[in-house]
Amino acid sequence: MWASGQGRDALALGELGYRVIGVDHSSVGINQLNQEAKKRGLNVQGIVGDMHDYQITEDIDIVLLDSMLHFYKNDQKKETEFVNKILNQLKENGLFVTCILKGDKRESILKQIIDQSPYEWTVLSECYTEYIEFNATYHLLVVKKGKRIK
Ligand SMILES: C[S@@+](CC[C@H](N)C(=O)[O-])C[C@H]1O[C@@H](n2cnc3c(N)ncnc32)[C@H](O)[C@@H]1O
């Protein structure tokens, strides 16, 4: 889980029985995550670091980026490279899960990056969730990596 923050998703996934690695450059957030995981006895490990430097190893089945990609003009190149790195490093049959703010432009940029990847990707789930308290709607996309086709 990249950019896990204080563990909103990581702890919930840990409660479901997943082994979770959360990487975030905020030591405050990661300390809170690790304390809470320990208190609840979860298999959740927070690591302080820059997610751009973290390698996706073979034991990672799912990469989750929640509220992390925005594709604002100034960040678009870096974020595109970052997503491409994840798509390349993720193992075959691994899942790439993104949750981004609803928006035609950013959703189409994300889909374009996935479509242009040299691997086959199958959409397993796609939906929108409205959060009335934040006055925001989020787009969830789950894709599964297949064989290299290009
Ligand atoms: C909007 S929060 C999302 C947190 C979490 N994914 C969630 O949904 O609750 C963005 C997080 O990204 C982290 N972050 C931003 N850039 C980062 C980077 N280069 N490496 C690691 N973490 C980063 C911030 O510290 C922050 O915790």
Side-chain angles (χ1 to χ4, degrees), residues 1-9 23-26 29 49-52 64-68 70 78:
M1 151 114 238
W2 276 211
S4 56
Q6 61 200 44
R8 187 171 60 110
D9 299 319
V23 179
D24 200 289
H25 63 190
S26 163
D50 188 327
M51 60 188 183
H52 297 100
L64 168 60
L65 295 178
D66 184 358
S67 314
M68 193 50 236
H70 305 286
K78 193 172 184 190

Side-chain angles (χ1 to χ4, degrees), residues 62-113:
I62 304 170
V63 175
L64 168 60
L65 295 178
D66 184 358
S67 314
M68 193 50 236
L69 297 170
H70 305 286
F71 298 115
Y72 297 131
K73 202 172 169 205
N74 288 345
D75 302 328
Q76 201 173 313
K77 186 170 179 288
K78 193 172 184 190
E79 289 184 344
T80 300
E81 285 169 3
F82 178 53
V83 172
N84 271 323
K85 182 181 148 186
I86 293 171
L87 297 181
N88 287 330
Q89 287 185 348
L90 185 66
K91 66 181 173 190
E92 194 175 319
N93 293 322
L95 304 187
F96 178 55
V97 183
T98 54
C99 191
I100 63 176
L101 258 179
K102 183 178 178 209
D104 288 345
K105 190 169 169 229
R106 61 172 69 93
E107 286 171 39
S108 74
I109 292 171
L110 179 60
K111 285 201 172 152
Q112 200 178 20
I113 298 170

Side-chain angles (χ1 to χ4, degrees), residues 127-147:
C127 64
Y128 293 91
T129 307
E130 190 182 356
Y131 293 92
I132 295 162
E133 67 272 37
F134 302 129
N135 190 25
T137 301
Y138 279 82
H139 171 247
L140 175 82
L141 179 67
V142 182
V143 291
K144 181 177 176 181
K145 185 172 181 177
K147 298 210 175 303

Side-chain angles (χ1 to χ4, degrees), residues 6-73:
Q6 61 200 44
R8 187 171 60 110
D9 299 319
L11 294 166
L13 290 167
E15 292 281 5
L16 291 174
Y18 287 94
R19 179 176 78 91
V20 183
I21 300 169
V23 179
D24 200 289
H25 63 190
S26 163
S27 57
V28 175
I30 290 295
N31 282 341
Q32 287 175 359
L33 186 160
N34 281 333
Q35 274 175 23
E36 195 57 31
K38 194 173 168 195
K39 199 166 87 185
R40 298 194 210 169
L42 303 177
N43 197 353
V44 175
Q45 180 197 7
I47 298 171
V48 179
D50 188 327
M51 60 188 183
H52 297 100
D53 301 335
Y54 203 89
Q55 302 298 311
I56 298 161
T57 45
E58 271 287 308
D59 59 338
I60 292 179
D61 300 316
I62 304 170
V63 175
L64 168 60
L65 295 178
D66 184 358
S67 314
M68 193 50 236
L69 297 170
H70 305 286
F71 298 115
Y72 297 131
K73 202 172 169 205

Side-chain angles (χ1 to χ4, degrees), residues 84 87-88 112-119 121 149-150:
N84 271 323
L87 297 181
N88 287 330
Q112 200 178 20
I113 298 170
I114 295 169
D115 285 347
Q116 287 175 355
S117 152
Y119 297 90
W121 295 92
I149 48 169
K150 293 180 202 164

